[in-house]
Amino acid sequence: MSYGIPSAEPSAQVPVCPRHPDRPSYVRCQRCGRPACPDCQRAAAVGFQCIDCVNETRRTTPEVRTVYGGAAASGKPLVTYGIIAVCALMYALQWLIPGQVVYEQFAYNNVFATPEYGAFEPWRMLTAAFLHSPDSVLHIALNMYTLWIFGQALEPLLGRARFLALYLISAVGGSVGYLLLNPVLVPGQGLVGVVGASGAIFGLFGAMLLVQRHRGGDTRQLWVLIAINGVIGFLIPQIAWQAHLGGLITGALCAAVLAYTPRGPRQGLIQAAGLVAVLVLLAAASWAKISM
């Protein structure tokens, strides 16, 4: 007597997953009723749905957007955490790489905005916001803590893309403020760089102030916070209050674009054009300064 080897193929009576015909699947999609193996099951309000039904629902369901036009995203403020991670990484590199290589490559100084000195490197206006003084842990700690607080409030309101644009443009605005309110340095004086996320952080202050006013909220605590931080910039040496002021004004301008653009199908396009206009304004102001 010989015994046959059991077949690995499921019998015709056993339901199988359409995506994986070799897998018996006794759980059926609550929407279409087809079998779905564990890899193809997605939790639904009741039971499970298959991948195809989940994807179809996503395609046919209108995207939920915030009042300011951004795509509503639940969960953690990923952009905020990402910025903090980049700043932490750059801070670690400042410690790990010998000398001041990172500092010299990415710090901002008015010399780097002056073409006649042969050092026109405008991207430093942005990269400087991701560096911090390696001699002061408090510098990066306070900035990142403030970013964490305000990022959790603003990122869900504006949407991730708009929040990131606000932060980056405010960082540039801080450097432009420093350029406009300081004399252009000359070569040979050494690299007295401006670093830190403070300009971008003040941009978040200005944005939150505009958003709160737009929503009809109380802004008194924000005014006190801005005033205290503004005074500190004048009292403590080596703090670039000019960058704080530049970031504050730029953040307020960006928030005004995002908050006061009428809602509608072209809201995002108009907002993008407005933010580009803020960048053009910063570039024009910088060029006017260095051309004097």
Side-chain angles (χ1 to χ4, degrees), residues 35-60:
C37 70
D39 289 341
C40 296
Q41 296 171 14
R42 297 294 182 268
V46 178
F48 295 90
Q49 289 187 7
C50 65
I51 292 179
D52 294 330
C53 287
V54 171
N55 292 337
E56 179 64 23
T57 300
R58 288 175 180 172
R59 285 192 296 267
T60 57

Side-chain angles (χ1 to χ4, degrees), residues 3-277:
Y3 296 92
I5 300 176
S7 173
E9 295 294 332
S11 65
Q13 291 75 26
V14 176
V16 295
C17 176
R19 285 175 170 266
H20 304 95
D22 61 326
R23 300 181 186 179
S25 305
Y26 295 95
V27 176
R28 293 182 177 272
C29 173
Q30 294 294 317
R31 190 163 181 257
C32 68
R34 294 184 301 171
C37 70
D39 289 341
C40 296
Q41 296 171 14
R42 297 294 182 268
V46 178
F48 295 90
Q49 289 187 7
C50 65
I51 292 179
D52 294 330
C53 287
V54 171
N55 292 337
E56 179 64 23
T57 300
R58 288 175 180 172
R59 285 192 296 267
T60 57
T61 302
E63 187 177 22
V64 179
R65 293 193 169 273
T66 70
V67 67
Y68 301 110
S74 59
K76 298 179 180 179
L78 298 182
V79 172
T80 299
Y81 289 171
I83 296 171
I84 293 174
V86 173
C87 290
L89 174 62
M90 297 302 294
Y91 189 74
L93 290 177
Q94 287 179 260
W95 276 97
L96 295 174
I97 298 178
Q100 293 187 334
V101 176
V102 176
Y103 185 84
E104 292 174 354
Q105 290 296 319
F106 298 106
Y108 174 70
N109 171 299
N110 283 355
V111 168
F112 296 117
T114 311
E116 61 263 31
Y117 294 148
F120 187 52
E121 300 176 352
W123 57 85
R124 289 175 178 266
M125 288 185 165
L126 177 61
T127 58
F130 294 93
L131 300 184
H132 289 82
S133 173
D135 299 327
S136 174
V137 178
L138 189 62
H139 186 207
I140 186 173
L142 287 177
N143 278 342
M144 295 303 99
Y145 176 72
T146 307
L147 170 58
W148 180 65
I149 294 295
F150 279 80
Q152 291 186 94
L154 281 172
E155 186 175 334
L157 278 175
L158 302 179
R160 289 170 179 165
R162 286 162 176 77
F163 175 77
L164 179 60
L166 163 69
Y167 186 87
L168 296 180
I169 297 174
S170 296
V172 174
S175 296
V176 172
Y178 184 79
L179 171 65
L180 297 180
L181 300 174
N182 276 281
V184 176
L185 303 180
V186 297
Q189 291 184 338
L191 177 62
V192 183
V194 177
V195 296
S198 300
I201 298 299
F202 268 77
L204 299 186
F205 289 168
M208 180 61 80
L209 188 64
L210 260 291
V211 168
Q212 279 290 86
R213 288 183 62 87
H214 181 256
R215 302 173 68 198
D218 187 3
T219 61
R220 287 176 295 181
Q221 292 184 350
L222 276 172
W223 281 114
V224 172
L225 178 65
I226 293 171
I228 291 174
N229 282 274
V231 170
I232 290 175
F234 287 98
L235 297 180
I236 300 179
Q238 299 181 340
I239 291 183
W241 61 267
Q242 302 91 339
H244 294 176
L245 181 59
L248 180 70
I249 295 174
T250 303
L253 287 175
C254 291
V257 170
L258 298 175
Y260 292 100
T261 299
R263 300 190 69 177
R266 296 186 179 181
Q267 182 182 19
L269 183 62
I270 296 174
Q271 288 174 334
L275 294 178
V276 170

